[in-house]
Amino acid sequence: MQTSQQRHLSGNFHSLYQKAADPHHAPRFQILDSNMSSDIGSKGADLSFKTCDEQFFTLESFSPTDHLFVPYESPPQTVASILSNPSPYSSQGSQSYSSDPRYSPDNAYGTPVSVYSAANSSNELKYKLMEMENVLMAPDDTSEADSYYCNGSASSVPMWSQLKEIVPQLDINQLLLCCAQAVSDGDLSTAGALMDVLDQRVSISGDPVQRLGTYMLEGLRARLEMSGSAIYKSLKCTEPTSSEMMSYMHVLYQMCPYWKFAYVSANTAIWEAVENEGKIHIVDFQIAQGSQWVDLLKALAIRQGGPPSVRITGVDDAQSTLARGGGLHIVGEMLSKLAASCNIPFQFHEATMSDVKVLRENLVIVPGEALVFNFPYVLHHVPDESVSTENYRDELLRMVKSLAPKVLTLVEQESNTNTSAFVHRFKETLDYYTAMFESMDVARSRDDAQRLNAEMHCVAKDIISMIACEGAERVERHELLAKWRARFNLAGFTQCTLSPAVTFYVKDMLKDFHTNFRLEENKGALYLAWKNRAMVTCSAWR
């Protein structure tokens, strides 16, 4: 690559954060009197535990008696109705794509039917430029321009000398999509020139589109340099320090309800499934600090008829180990002390996820226990048939089904980035994270250093993985609930309809957040949305 091109494409992801990491620009956030601890597994890290004699500092800023759930004599009043429309989100995306005709009620909650289709290679470049110009100059209608680029009418991005005349008329999203197409086509001169333009438009302290654009641009640079995997691993495992990451995740947890949604919905579904069981075995594939189970144990302790015996098996990951500053024994000690204070017979067990067969042996299944499996934002990390012929994702599901679980809870991002072609995946990532950054923007001011660090260190690594990495190196492989349903059905599972109680407690929790967060039930599952974009789903299976 020529020196001038290297200058355009050599953005260093770590140097991007040096200023923000400087104490003069982003002082470390200290938790002084909060009763929360961040517990977000491979998405982040956790705050320190208190002993069983003190107040437990968990992720939840609320007790089981206000927002999470408590044993109840009868279900709470049923919260409003299932929509007659087959999809609760008939037009998806945040503000940029709300009128996009490619989003339809039958299109699995917002993923474009066709984000990219190759243009006819015989089209004349001049015709493409004229068409692009006409679209961009259309008054009061930016969606047409969005549709033009996302549908691939510019699949062979023109040379920079011919494209530059209309570049000033493009917004950041359009520039990013053009740049992604240039990268996909191997048009390095155009990609480099567009990156120079984007450098002047994006900012980690700007509006949501500017901030997201910074990370999308770095992902494109990393893809060209084939350094995405190294950046992802560095962000995931070695930067920042444990205490810093804990504070960043704490801020993220406060800003948006995505993890509270996971905990409240899964815990309520689990409570209902095991309320009459005398022996319960919970297998958590994202145990992190174990904070999810603090409130469940407290609820089980006051269950009518007395508490059951409980065994929890935690499946660990490198990020959680880093966050805790040690292994799973730290989680086991905390939960054991809590269980003892609640008079609950309790055991904690550690397991490894290195291999499905090894995992089954490590679970130590005991006859007579009601088995519960919890998958919060983790199953999309398991490689599937697009990565390896061994297809560990489906193999894991078949193994779990063979153990006849009482319930399995699944919480996943509602996004389609698994098997899509690069430009399609880039567009979906841009759409999804535009909504996420908007949802974080309303919680903190633009110059808030804590929000800045939370976005950089807790969200950016996922974006880098989706844009810069391919094959086995790409860790983030999200699927829509429609695809998860197909996988679970093939593995022999039957979906359990979430009860009105789950909806009730989640809606109660959402009162603490912006009114643009919406909750809808569809086909027995819950969808958490930002405006008209479905962001997260919760479903239960057996």
Side-chain angles (χ1 to χ4, degrees), residues 170-449:
L170 302 180
D171 62 26
I172 291 176
N173 282 357
Q174 292 164 346
L175 287 169
L176 285 168
L177 291 167
C178 283
C179 192
Q181 187 65 64
V183 170
S184 180
D185 292 343
D187 187 348
L188 301 184
S189 61
T190 297
L194 287 169
M195 287 177 181
D196 271 351
V197 175
L198 282 162
D199 274 331
Q200 303 304 312
R201 303 270 198 98
V202 300
S203 169
I204 56 174
S205 58
D207 63 30
V209 174
Q210 290 174 317
R211 300 199 309 271
L212 175 59
T214 303
Y215 309 125
M216 301 289 284
L217 177 57
E218 290 302 321
L220 289 171
R221 284 183 167 132
R223 184 179 182 88
L224 283 177
E225 296 175 349
M226 294 182 289
S227 60
S229 179
I231 292 174
Y232 179 88
K233 290 176 182 176
S234 178
L235 287 171
K236 185 177 174 65
C237 299
T238 62
E239 292 188 2
T241 65
S242 295
S243 59
E244 289 169 336
M245 179 63 91
M246 285 187 282
S247 67
Y248 303 152
M249 294 312 302
H250 174 79
V251 171
L252 184 63
Y253 189 90
Q254 286 182 317
M255 286 193 300
C256 44
Y258 303 121
W259 274 91
K260 287 185 180 180
F261 169 79
Y263 285 1
V264 172
S265 57
N267 275 359
T268 309
I270 291 169
W271 164 266
E272 293 182 325
V274 301
E275 61 179 335
N276 296 317
E277 300 292 338
K279 297 180 180 180
I280 302 169
H281 181 186
I282 299 170
V283 182
D284 188 354
F285 280 81
Q286 193 73 283
I287 188 68
Q289 293 276 69
S291 296
Q292 176 173 354
W293 309 118
V294 170
D295 289 282
L296 182 63
L297 288 173
K298 289 179 178 179
L300 290 171
I302 58 175
R303 190 179 72 172
Q304 186 176 3
S309 65
V310 179
R311 185 153 62 99
I312 294 179
T313 295
V315 181
D316 209 4
D317 64 276
Q319 181 77 6
S320 297
T321 301
L322 170 70
R324 288 189 301 265
L328 277 174
H329 67 279
I330 298 174
V331 178
E333 291 171 1
M334 183 276 290
L335 292 176
S336 295
K337 290 177 181 178
L338 172 62
S341 70
C342 296
N343 296 316
I344 295 178
F346 181 81
Q347 292 181 348
F348 185 82
H349 185 62
E350 303 177 23
T352 178
M353 183 58 191
S354 59
D355 179 84
V356 174
K357 294 180 180 178
V358 172
L359 173 63
R360 177 166 185 166
E361 295 173 358
N362 288 339
L363 292 181
V364 190
I365 303 301
V366 176
E369 291 180 331
L371 267 174
V372 173
F373 287 85
N374 187 51
F375 286 92
Y377 300 115
V378 67
L379 199 52
H380 71 270
H381 289 151
V382 181
D384 68 347
E385 68 279 359
S386 66
V387 181
S388 169
T389 55
E390 295 177 304
N391 192 356
Y392 286 113
R393 188 175 294 190
D394 289 351
E395 183 181 351
L396 175 61
L397 291 179
R398 290 192 296 269
M399 184 275 287
V400 171
K401 178 59 180 175
S402 71
L403 298 175
K406 190 74 175 180
V407 69
L408 180 155
T409 51
L410 174 71
V411 179
E412 281 288 349
Q413 292 95 319
E414 182 69 354
S415 183
N416 182 24
T417 62
N418 185 12
T419 57
S420 306
F422 170 67
V423 177
H424 185 147
R425 185 168 78 241
F426 186 92
K427 165 63 175 65
E428 174 75 352
T429 302
L430 179 61
D431 185 37
Y432 184 89
Y433 282 93
T434 294
M436 177 175 283
F437 273 62
E438 286 177 2
S439 73
M440 293 187 288
D441 192 63
V442 299
R444 298 277 178 133
S445 63
R446 294 280 167 84
D447 59 353
D448 188 281

